Amino acid sequence: TPGAASAAHSQNRTVDATDEEHLCQEAFQQITAVFEHAWIMKCSSGEARLFRWDKKLAPNGGHAIVSLAHPSFLRVVSKTHLPYHGFLVDSPIHRVFFSALGFSDLPGTVTAVPLKMKSQLWGFFVATGPESLSGLDNLSLVESTTQTLADAMSEYWQKAS
């Protein structure tokens, strides 16, 4: 299974400066086999900022930041600590954010899963694609990949400290 393979692989990792990036790219590769794009947003000071992204995503500016004080799909996830999976409400916040990521229009399906470290919200793992990806099996894929990534990053940070 992907989780078992990733867990087995993580036991053989060595800690180095590029390992965090490698962990993220592994997760993105798994998700972009199904979704069009994937990225991680990191929460800090009431905002979610673009942290890492797949190689196909082309962010084009500094507005890839979302205030968690204003209505958005990320605010829903930050308040509930539950995934968001489905279509987006067309709003100026969503338009500016997705435009900053290089999108010409809002994606048909957005999946955002809380990325927790030590039971605290650290950020979000986000995947996007066409409306046809709105099934629960695709949500499960993003949830399991996010958990595997969170576990691997926690292990990496423990070894690095």
Side-chain angles (χ1 to χ4, degrees), residues 52-100:
R52 298 271 192 273
W53 55 91
D54 74 70
K55 294 174 182 176
K56 297 183 295 181
L57 196 66
N60 60 20
H63 291 15
I65 300 169
V66 175
S67 168
L68 299 175
H70 298 105
S72 71
F73 72 102
L74 292 177
R75 181 178 177 181
V76 170
V77 178
S78 74
K79 293 286 188 186
T80 65
H81 288 227
L82 296 171
Y84 181 100
H85 181 65
F87 70 93
L88 287 176
V89 172
D90 192 347
S91 72
I93 290 171
H94 290 150
R95 290 254 171 221
V96 168
F97 174 67
F98 280 94
S99 176

Side-chain angles (χ1 to χ4, degrees), residues 21 23-33 38-40 52-55 125-126 145 149:
E21 176 68 21
L23 291 171
C24 293
Q25 290 303 325
E26 278 184 354
F28 298 151
Q29 186 175 13
Q30 185 175 0
I31 293 299
T32 57
W39 63 89
I40 296 170
R52 298 271 192 273
W53 55 91
D54 74 70
K55 294 174 182 176
F125 191 102
V126 183
T145 301
L149 176 63

Side-chain angles (χ1 to χ4, degrees), residues 116-135:
K116 296 180 184 180
M117 303 290 175
K118 297 182 181 177
S119 301
Q120 298 292 316
L121 182 65
W122 182 90
F124 310 100
F125 191 102
V126 183
T128 59
E131 193 175 334
S132 62
L133 295 178
S134 64

Side-chain angles (χ1 to χ4, degrees), residues 105-121:
D105 203 0
L106 296 178
T109 298
V110 173
T111 303
V113 175
L115 184 54
K116 296 180 184 180
M117 303 290 175
K118 297 182 181 177
S119 301
Q120 298 292 316
L121 182 65

